[in-house]
Structure formats: C-alpha cells, structure tokens
Amino acid sequence: MTTIDASRPIDLASRPDNYLTHTRGFLSWALTLDHKRIGVMYMAAVLVSFFVGGVFALLVRTELLTPGQTIPGVTADVYNQFFTLHGAIMVFLVIIPSIPAALGNFVLPIMLGAKDVAFPRLNLGSFYLWLAGAAFTLVSLAMGGFDTGWTFYTPYSTTTTTGGVIPVLFGVFILGFSSIFTGMNFVVTVHKLRPPGMTWFRMPLFLWAIYATAIIQVLATPVLAITLMLVVIERTINIGIFDPSMGGDPVLFQHFFWFYSHPAVYIMILPAMGIISELISVHAHRHIFGYKFIALSSIAIAIFSFLVWGHHMFTSGQSPLMNTLFSLISFSVAIPSAVKVFNWLTTLYKGNISLTTPMWYALSFMVLFTIGGLTGIHLATLNTDVHLHDTYFVVAHFHYVMMGSALIGMIGGLHHWWPKMTGKMYSEKLGTAACIIIFIGFNVTFFTQFYLGAKGMPRRYYDYLPEYQTYHVISTIGSYIMASGFFLTAYCLLSSLYSGRKAAANPWGGGSLEWQCTSPPPHDNFAVQPSVGDCYDFRALRWDETTQGYVNDPALAAEAARNPLH
Amino acid sequence: MIAPLHTLVAALAADTTPQGTAWLPPAASNIAQSVDPMFYAINWICYIFFFGILAALVYFVVKYRVRKGQAFRSDGPLHHLPLETSWAVVPLLIVIVIFYIGFRDFLNISTPPKNAYVVQVTAQKWAWNFKYPNGATSDDLYVPAGRPVQLTMRASDVLHCCYIPDFRVKKDLVPGRYSYLWFQADDVSGQNPHNLFCTEYCGTGHSTMNRKVHVLAQEDFDAWLVEQSQWLDKIPEEELFFRAGPKIYARCQQCHSLDGTKGIGPSWKGLWSRVHGGEGSNEKFGDGSTYASLIGPGKKYATPEDYLRNSILNPGSELVGGYGNAMPSFKGQLNDKAIDAVIGMMQHLDDFDPKTGKYLKEAPAAPKVSMK
Ligand SMILES: [Cu+2]
Ligand SMILES: [Cu+2]
C-alpha cells in the first residue's frame, strides 16, 4: 500500500456531470449542502472582502504619503476608521475564514475520499453566520463606523463616540460562531470520515494543519466571543468590567483578547503551512521530507499558541515574572516553525521541481515566512521588544506572517486547486508574473516598515514627523505595485473561466485523492470509495501530453510497488 | 558560556554614534547601550539564517528543476532523524541564549534605581503633563543629564504609552494604575531634543500626541526648574490674559476653536456672551437647563467666572448640549492664576487671531518667559 494503486477507480471524464452543473438556479446554491459549493461561495465572499480590505489598505498608505492630511477630507478620525476597518476586515472576514472555510471546505472531504463533511447543514449554517457577521459590519458603517482599532482595546472602545462599535462587536461575535462551527465540523470529519487505510500518519499534511487549526478555533474563539459581549455590556449598561472609572481593569481585557487573538494568529498561519507542505511536495514531485516532524509540529504549534498571549503585553505593566515566562514560551514557537522550514527546504533537495505558478507562491511563502519568523526574535526578546513594540517594526513583522505567509499561502492554494474547483487552467505565464509582482511589491512595502519601526515610527499614526517621510513614500509605492499584482492575478483567474483550457484531472501531478476525481469533481466526489496509498509517492505518475495532465502509469506503478520507499 | 558570547555580541554590534546607526535612532541613554548590541546581534543571526535558507532554496530550485515529461527521480531521503533533531535543537539553544540576555537586561529596564529623580507624568487625550518635585509643570519633558530619572505615570482617560525612541524605553499608561519607566540620559550635546511619542492608540489626536525631551546639564536643569515654577507668578496681573492666555490655550486648542468651528468641544467664540446672559444664553445643556437658568446671583453659579472655572476643573458636571463628556479635568494642572488667564483670554477674544490664538495687539515689551 505504499504506492499509488493503479487499479483504483478513476472517475475520469466518463461522467460529464460535475458539482457546478449538477443542479442549477440560485436556490440550488443558496440552499446547497455540498461542501464544494459552500467552499466556492466562501471563497467568493472572502475574495470580495479582501478587495474591500485592500482598498482600505491603499487608502491608509496613500494618506501616509505626506505628513498631515494627504487625501482631501481624510481627517485623523476618518483615517482612524480606515485602518480599523482594514484590520478588522482582513482579520475577521478574510484571513481567518480564507483557508479553512474556503479552501478547506472544498478540499478536505475530497482528500479524505468522503462525500461531504460530517455535518453538511452546520457547514451551510456557518456560511450564513459569516454573511450575518459581514452584514453587521455594514450596519456598523451605516451607524457611524468604529475607530477602535481591530483590537478593541478598552477603555477606548467603551468610551469612543463613534456609533458603530456595538454592531461591529456583534458582527465579530457572530463571525466567531461561524469559525467555531467550521472547526467542530472539521474535527469530527477528520476523526470519523477518514477512509479505511488512511491512518493518522497517512493523512495529507494539509489535513493535519486544518485539524490543528480546527482545535484552536473551537477552544479559543469562545473566549473572544465572551470578551466582546462583556465590552457590549459595559458600553450599554455601564457595568465596570474593563473601564477603571467604573472599577474595571483595562489590562484584563488585553489578557482576554490576546488569549484568543494570539492563537488566532495560528488559526491564520497553520493552514497556510499545510498548503505549503502540499504545494512543495506536489510541485517538486518528491516525497515530503520528515512527514512526522511536520505533522507533529502543527500540533506543537497549536498547543504552544495558547501559552504565549502575554507577549503582546510586555510594556503593559504586567509583572516581570509573567513577561519572562511569556518571552520564554514565545521563543519555543520558533522551534516547530524552524523544523517546518528546514523540512520544506529538504523536500526540494533531489526533487523534480516544476516551476508552476503555485510553486512560485510556495517559494515566495518560504522566503517571506522566514523573514517574518526571524524578525519575531527581535520581538520575543524582552529588551529589544520594549523599543520595537507598537512601532512599524511590529506592523511589518505581522504583515510578513499574516499577509506574506497566510495570505500568500491562501493565494498559492487557490492557484493549486483552481483547476480542480473550476475545471479551467489559467495562463501560467500571467499567474507567475503576478506572483512575482506581488512578491516585489510586498517586500518594498513592508521591508521598509521594519526600518521605519526600528527608527522609532509608532504605528496607527495619521500624522508623523517629516524625517520619516521618505520611507513612507517608498512603502506606499510598494503597496501600489502589490495592488497591481493582485489585479493581474484577478484578471488571470477570472479570464480563465471564459477562455481557459479545460483542466485535466491531475494537472500538477499530485498524489492525494482530490487529483483522482475529475476537474471539476462530480457532485458526490467519488462513485466508489477510493483506496488510499501514500499520497506523497509520485513515482507512478507520468506526464501525458494529450490531456495536458499527469496519469498513473501501470508499468511505473508496478515498478514502484516492488521498491517501497522508506 | 554566556560571557564570551557577550563579547561576541558587542563585537558584532555596529558602532553607536550620536547620529544613530544603520537601523536604530541615536542611542542617548544607558538603556540604549545594552539594547542596541542585542538588536544587532539578533540581526546577524537573522542574516545568517535568511541568506543560508535563501541560498539553499535557489540552489535546489535551479539544480533540481525538471521539464514536463522528464522521468522522476526518487532517491531523495524521506526523513533523517539526526538531521531533523539537530534543526530543532540548534535553534532552541540559540533562542535560549538570546532569551537569557534579553531577560537580564529587561530586569534592569524594569527596575528603577532607588535614587532616581522622579517626574510625575499625566497623559490625557491628547496631551502630556510633566510635573517636577518643586511643583513646576511642563508640556515637554526636561531631565537632568547623568542621573537616573524615573517617570511615575498615569493616564486619566484611556490607555496611552510613553515612548522615547532615542532612549529605547516604552511603557503603557493605564488609567487607574501607576506605571514606571526609567532611564539615564548622558548626552547633553548633539541630539537634543529627543522625540517622545504616544504609542498606544488613543483616538483623534494620537499621532499629534508627541513632545520633545530636553536633556540638560544639572546646573542648567536646576535653573530651568526654578524659572519654570515661577513663570506665571512673574507676569503682572493685567498682562496675564495676553501673555499666559495663548500659552495655556495651546493645551485646549485641539478641542476648542476660537473662530466658531465645532470641534471635539464647543468653540470659545460667543462663549463670553452666552455666560453673561447675552446672545446664546438660552442654549440648553445636555440636561435641559440653560446658561441663563444656571448662572446669576442665587443660582447654581453666582458669577460667569464660577461657571467657567468649574467647567475647567470639573468638565463633566454640565455637558454643553450636543457634546460628550470628552474634556479631561485640569484640576491640579492649572492654578487660579492660570484660570484667570484663560478667562481673560475668553473675555478679549477679539484681540486674538481666530486661527492660531496669537495676540494681535502690540504687547508691551516684557521679560522673556517660556512655557514649553
Ligand atoms: Cu501573539
Ligand atoms: Cu496615543
């Protein structure tokens, strides 16, 4: 069972029916229980939110071109709303749901050879919760918006006079439930629906990552939900919980908030790491190196993530003993991360690397994540963090991790599974060019910000001293480059829907189960439950010129069966 | 093991000059002396790992790239326990050492010496107030060189954070708590003054909540202190409103305009007439009472001055209609003479530039006073 079983059923183009054409009409989508359709709807919703969050980012960057007011009409208050919206949208509406709920939903059951997730109705329910959460954000905007920062720090958030604070808190509360439901669904799915033969250590690494993420989602998100409700209660009926003028404690809020939000960082990055494990291995056509270390490091990260929240509060006045412990544990997160990077790197060694668009994204991820991870050392170290905390250095660091890594991983995954989702191939030339433009723009934007921050430029500043201007200008230009890269990506993917070549079942040469059903998959994924081999063994695959995809070659498979890998 | 490492750290660190180094601003405190080498040592670790990884990545991609249709090789290792353990353990050792040095230095940063010179700091939206042992107050921070200075800080509304980049110090100000920050600034020469920023988001004026830090030699500092504690006393009563008024108004300016535009607080234009039973005296407060019903003999405020004085010291007690409870109290910060100056300015508002608050009439030549 270590090789791909050439005799297993392959539902190649034998069936013209696929999940997109299976039923038609608006209601067939709105009421669908098909995980693939839900995944696609999530993806569309997330990408629209990404566009909106991106527009706010560009507004923020443009406003920062000069000290003082740059865009007519954008006062400090308007600017404060811009960066708050940018942060809140990107975190709660985009990055957190992007990989698990959008890509995960589409891919996870197919990777398991299952027909759907364990609870399809709950799955649809969590999508509608997402929509409700997004709707509350819009309501909040209509009621005057909010300027609290995405972190909602008290007592500012309980006293600010902007009118939309309570609706947006409800919105995030609801989004939290959407996230919890998705997490529960995936935990049960992975436990219960693995096919015979797929032991824990035979799961594709993406599933390990999604599984670890789901556990964090289920355990950490309720804390956020309760905290936000406490803020609502404090604002509406003036019970002193966090506001010191009513006997509350603002630092308590920070503890509660980061108890969720630090693990949330891993809700964002872990699934992206899972995608990268797939991308590197599939596009290098090389067995992943150190499977067990990678799988277990996901779990290690999930556990550590609950123990480091205090590193956001080194300057908040918490006791030196706590600071010490939090600093020490924060460093420990470096270890599983380093293990992953080195194992990915070794996976390239003696590989069969195809420089496809997804591979370019995977390589970008490795570079950006390395920078993001290494600069985490400056911030976990107590004495240097005192200088860097709440400056642009932190902004740069978390953009390298959350955007350069989590989002780039997501976009890479989107390119990887796009042929499977849509049945169409995009232009790889365009896709790769866009990836490179984004990579360059990203570094111009954010590397500059490391420098700004180290030189003392505080974050969340509408106005700044003239000595920082040069670097702000460079950073803004970078953001325009990056934006043009994203527009090119959008064009590349959308145009493929109309003019793209038909995708083969296995266009990249992947070994996991989703590459064995047609592109796009039929409504119920597999007619017969497929049998499971080692999804990282690529030896039986052969490039087939006529279908422009990889096929299982029986001769190679037989040869591989005689020489098990170990 | 730690001692030689420390020398190594120091050697790798870039030279610190008053102009600042490649990555960091000028190092102007004792704390910067220990933070900077650490920062550069970590930088070097990052460079080594980053370029190592990048080189391997590029090399592998170039070397093991295949074209479509080429047969796959499969001779790469699947796992290698010693190798994998080593890249868990080596980073672990490195970060433990970094942690330890950072931690030791942090203990020093967070423990102010007993003999430190104490300055009381109050932050409120969106101003800093520094109060010295002799009662003098200032909006910029002045500190003596060559001795430890402790800031004892509190916030009176929301979170703020005191950050002096050149000193590498930062600490949150939390309403309802005191927090400390200390440093010893030695440099009185080149880089004065240093920036002081608020780095905890606090709303509209967050980014303008920055001031300067002036490091003075001890004699100069002592002289400044005396002068600063007396500047208001030295001004004769009749010159108070145009000499001291605008300087104090600088602290009200972000919320109160003079030209009638609504800000976070009501404009001072027309205020004098409102409180004197003239035009606007029937405007309502949040609770429905009017100026006329509150001010006058036998009413809550016997005189308009009483009302104005109370508005400055207890801003929440009457809320002007249409405004929130956003004004910080100036109790303990403005004495009676200062309040006289402000009230005098409100009375003679026509004599001041409605945009900048500058006195427009020719002021009689007067001894120079400073209030920064
Ligand atoms: Cu964190
Ligand atoms: Cu602030």
Side-chain angles (χ1 to χ4, degrees):
Chain A
M1 285 293 275
T2 49
T3 60
I4 291 175
D5 178 356
S7 66
R8 63 189 147 184
I10 295 175
D11 330 9
L12 277 184
S14 52
R15 292 200 305 174
D17 174 44
N18 67 49
Y19 81 100
L20 295 168
T21 55
H22 184 68
T23 48
R24 286 177 192 280
F26 174 76
L27 282 184
S28 79
W29 281 83
L31 299 178
T32 183
L33 298 180
D34 181 354
H35 69 96
K36 298 184 286 303
R37 287 191 167 193
I38 295 174
V40 168
M41 292 193 297
Y42 254 123
M43 182 53 89
V46 161
L47 290 177
V48 169
S49 310
F50 177 59
F51 174 76
V52 177
V55 168
F56 283 115
L58 290 174
L59 285 170
V60 164
R61 282 302 342 151
T62 304
E63 176 50 47
L64 290 173
L65 269 172
T66 63
Q69 198 175 74
T70 308
I71 310 174
V74 176
T75 59
D77 287 324
V78 176
Y79 173 84
N80 290 346
Q81 294 222 3
F82 282 174
F83 81 70
T84 299
L85 277 166
H86 164 66
I89 291 177
M90 288 303 196
V91 169
F92 296 113
L93 289 176
V94 179
I95 306 185
I96 290 179
S98 68
I99 298 179
L103 286 174
N105 239 323
F106 188 92
V107 179
L108 175 133
I110 316 186
M111 274 188 160
L112 290 173
K115 288 197 195 313
D116 211 316
V117 291
F119 307 117
R121 284 195 173 75
L122 190 64
N123 201 14
L124 184 65
S126 64
F127 178 66
Y128 279 107
L129 284 178
W130 186 97
L131 286 182
F136 265 93
T137 314
L138 291 179
V139 170
S140 156
L141 287 183
M143 289 175 59
F146 54 110
D147 69 341
T148 57
W150 77 274
T151 47
F152 300 113
Y153 266 24
T154 54
Y156 190 79
S157 59
T158 51
T159 52
T160 176
T161 47
T162 44
V165 177
I166 290 178
V168 76
L169 288 170
F170 270 112
V172 174
F173 179 81
I174 294 169
L175 288 172
F177 275 95
S178 162
S179 177
I180 295 172
F181 287 169
T182 305
M184 287 192 330
N185 218 336
F186 287 178
V187 170
V188 177
T189 309
V190 169
H191 271 275
K192 290 293 177 198
L193 298 186
R194 270 176 297 125
M198 188 183 283
T199 58
W200 281 94
F201 285 110
R202 263 202 199 147
M203 284 197 314
L205 286 164
F206 182 55
L207 296 190
W208 270 102
I210 289 281
Y211 178 75
T213 308
I215 290 187
I216 309 180
Q217 285 176 300
V218 172
L219 292 182
T221 317
V223 178
L224 176 75
I226 294 165
T227 310
L228 297 183
M229 278 308 103
L230 290 177
V231 175
V232 171
I233 290 171
E234 180 160 315
R235 258 191 95 97
T236 45
I237 48 179
N238 290 324
I239 294 181
I241 303 161
F242 303 124
D243 187 343
S245 65
M246 297 186 280
D249 180 1
V251 178
L252 182 66
F253 174 85
Q254 298 179 26
H255 278 292
F256 283 172
F257 182 80
W258 290 112
F259 185 83
Y260 164 76
S261 292
H262 190 82
V265 172
Y266 296 98
I267 295 180
M268 305 183 221
I269 188 71
L270 265 177
M273 292 170 153
I275 289 184
I276 298 308
S277 300
E278 297 301 316
L279 261 51
I280 296 266
S281 174
V282 168
H283 297 267
H285 306 102
R286 147 79 152 92
H287 197 289
I288 191 87
F289 176 82
Y291 176 98
K292 277 206 174 133
F293 268 67
I294 297 185
L296 293 178
S297 65
S298 289
I299 301 297
I301 288 177
I303 295 170
F304 285 143
S305 75
F306 282 100
L307 304 173
V308 299
W309 78 88
H311 66 204
H312 297 269
M313 301 160 60
F314 286 160
T315 65
S316 74
Q318 74 183 346
S319 79
L321 175 69
M322 296 242 276
N323 282 335
T324 309
L325 288 176
F326 281 125
S327 167
L328 190 60
I329 308 172
S330 300
F331 275 119
S332 63
V333 181
I335 310 310
S337 309
V339 165
K340 281 187 195 267
V341 170
F342 287 125
N343 281 14
W344 291 327
L345 201 57
T346 318
T347 303
L348 296 176
Y349 169 69
K350 295 196 173 172
N352 308 282
I353 299 172
S354 302
L355 273 180
T356 55
T357 307
M359 189 59 157
W360 277 102
Y361 276 102
L363 298 174
S364 301
F365 175 102
M366 282 178 67
V367 174
L368 300 179
F369 179 69
T370 303
I371 298 178
L374 286 171
T375 51
I377 304 179
H378 296 88
L379 297 174
T381 306
L382 286 162
N383 63 347
T384 46
D385 178 67
V386 170
H387 175 56
L388 300 170
H389 180 75
D390 272 343
T391 67
Y392 266 77
F393 194 94
V394 175
V395 176
H397 163 73
F398 73 70
H399 277 92
Y400 266 86
V401 178
M402 284 160 66
M403 175 163 197
S405 310
L407 236 141
I408 289 293
M410 194 281 269
I411 306 276
L414 182 62
H415 281 83
H416 181 65
W417 284 300
W418 183 266
K420 188 57 58 181
M421 296 171 99
T422 64
K424 293 289 168 60
M425 288 304 285
Y426 48 85
S427 154
E428 282 219 59
K429 275 211 186 76
L430 268 186
T432 305
C435 173
I436 293 171
I437 294 174
I438 293 172
F439 180 82
I440 293 172
F442 181 91
N443 283 297
V444 174
T445 310
F446 292 111
F447 201 82
T448 321
Q449 297 186 1
F450 282 124
Y451 186 81
L452 269 176
K455 286 284 182 187
M457 169 78 210
R459 66 190 283 201
R460 296 177 165 179
Y461 261 32
Y462 166 70
D463 194 2
Y464 53 83
L465 300 180
E467 63 232 49
Y468 296 115
Q469 189 179 6
T470 314
Y471 300 96
H472 274 298
V473 171
I474 297 175
S475 179
T476 302
I477 292 173
S479 71
Y480 296 156
I481 299 176
M482 190 165 37
S484 60
F486 278 116
F487 280 115
L488 191 59
T489 306
Y491 170 77
C492 166
L493 291 179
L494 292 179
S495 64
S496 80
L497 293 179
Y498 300 100
S499 54
R501 183 163 49 73
K502 193 176 161 359
N506 193 355
W508 311 119
S512 42
L513 294 179
E514 80 271 27
W515 303 111
Q516 292 180 36
C517 56
T518 48
S519 304
H523 173 67
D524 46 7
N525 302 344
F526 301 94
V528 193
Q529 189 161 56
S531 68
V532 182
D534 179 346
C535 63
Y536 295 113
D537 186 348
F538 302 96
R539 289 176 300 167
L541 293 173
R542 178 173 56 74
W543 173 251
D544 177 46
E545 202 59 48
T546 49
T547 56
Q548 288 287 304
Y550 288 82
V551 292
N552 275 323
D553 184 316
L556 289 176
E559 157 104 16
R562 277 193 302 280
N563 311 297
L565 283 172
H566 37 227
Chain B
M1 179 185 173
I2 302 298
L5 226 135
H6 225 67
T7 1
L8 181 74
V9 163
L12 288 175
D15 211 18
T16 47
T17 66
Q19 279 70 44
T21 50
W23 280 89
L24 295 170
S29 76
N30 62 326
I31 289 166
Q33 300 308 329
S34 60
V35 169
D36 292 12
M38 189 73 202
F39 180 90
Y40 283 106
I42 298 174
N43 264 9
W44 276 104
I45 293 172
C46 292
Y47 295 149
I48 292 168
F49 272 89
F50 176 72
F51 287 109
I53 289 172
L54 189 67
L57 186 104
V58 171
Y59 176 77
F60 290 159
V61 169
V62 171
K63 168 127 196 198
Y64 299 112
R65 184 165 176 205
V66 298
R67 305 265 156 208
K68 279 191 179 125
Q70 220 167 310
F72 291 160
R73 67 193 288 170
S74 58
D75 55 342
L78 298 200
H79 40 75
H80 192 280
L81 195 59
L83 201 58
E84 291 179 80
T85 320
S86 76
W87 55 54
V89 172
V90 171
L92 184 67
L93 293 180
I94 295 177
V95 295
I96 287 178
V97 175
I98 298 178
F99 160 76
Y100 177 75
I101 303 177
F103 155 71
R104 235 184 19 184
D105 196 39
F106 179 74
L107 279 191
N108 176 37
I109 296 179
S110 40
T111 335
K114 292 250 160 21
N115 61 346
Y117 179 78
V118 179
V119 179
Q120 305 285 339
V121 183
T122 318
Q124 50 184 243
K125 288 175 180 170
W126 291 277
W128 296 95
N129 186 259
F130 302 99
K131 192 165 191 174
Y132 303 83
N134 73 343
T137 62
S138 65
D139 291 351
D140 273 3
L141 175 62
Y142 287 77
V143 294
R147 72 186 271 198
V149 174
Q150 172 182 334
L151 305 184
T152 299
M153 311 190 292
R154 66 188 185 83
S156 50
D157 38 36
V158 298
L159 299 170
H160 299 278
C161 183
C162 175
Y163 174 39
I164 308 171
D166 294 355
F167 295 175
R168 317 284 189 265
V169 292
K170 179 182 290 135
K171 192 56 158 271
D172 286 6
L173 288 80
V174 183
R177 294 189 181 190
Y178 284 94
S179 52
Y180 303 132
L181 178 157
W182 83 276
F183 53 83
Q184 176 170 328
D186 294 308
D187 175 37
V188 283
S189 57
Q191 288 305 311
N192 257 329
H194 307 280
N195 293 321
L196 182 151
F197 294 122
C198 173
T199 44
E200 188 65 67
Y201 173 67
C202 56
T204 315
H206 172 53
S207 65
T208 47
M209 202 169 149
N210 55 39
R211 306 295 317 184
K212 297 287 179 210
V213 182
H214 305 261
V215 181
L216 302 183
Q218 186 73 49
E219 317 81 81
D220 300 342
F221 179 73
D222 291 338
W224 175 85
L225 260 190
V226 173
E227 152 100 20
Q228 186 69 8
S229 62
Q230 296 169 351
W231 75 277
L232 203 56
D233 299 340
K234 283 188 186 156
I235 301 176
E237 209 55 59
E238 62 284 2
E239 295 179 5
L240 206 51
F241 79 90
F242 61 85
R243 288 262 197 82
K247 291 193 174 100
I248 298 167
Y249 172 66
R251 297 168 68 173
C252 325
Q253 196 165 16
Q254 48 196 318
C255 303
H256 295 291
S257 78
L258 302 182
D259 61 0
T261 23
K262 264 181 91 162
I264 292 164
S267 175
W268 287 357
K269 187 173 181 180
L271 177 59
W272 195 251
S273 120
R274 285 203 288 285
V275 294
H276 280 83
E279 192 192 334
S281 61
N282 286 323
E283 271 174 36
K284 287 199 167 64
F285 286 98
D287 62 5
S289 50
T290 63
Y291 284 90
S293 73
L294 281 180
I295 306 173
K299 301 185 185 152
K300 183 168 177 192
Y301 301 105
T303 61
E305 283 78 2
D306 283 335
Y307 165 75
L308 293 174
R309 188 184 144 82
N310 189 57
S311 309
I312 296 168
L313 299 182
N314 304 306
S317 61
E318 262 87 36
L319 290 184
V320 181
Y323 292 91
N325 190 3
M327 173 161 159
S329 163
F330 286 88
K331 212 182 259 167
Q333 297 187 30
L334 297 181
N335 60 19
D336 286 348
K337 211 165 168 190
I339 291 178
D340 284 350
V342 177
I343 294 180
M345 186 173 169
M346 291 169 176
Q347 183 179 1
H348 299 94
L349 215 55
D350 292 343
D351 300 347
F352 294 85
D353 183 309
K355 284 286 173 220
T356 61
K358 253 180 61 187
Y359 189 53
L360 295 175
K361 294 198 172 160
E362 199 56 43
K368 201 172 143 251
V369 285
S370 68
M371 157 100 188
K372 288 217 174 137

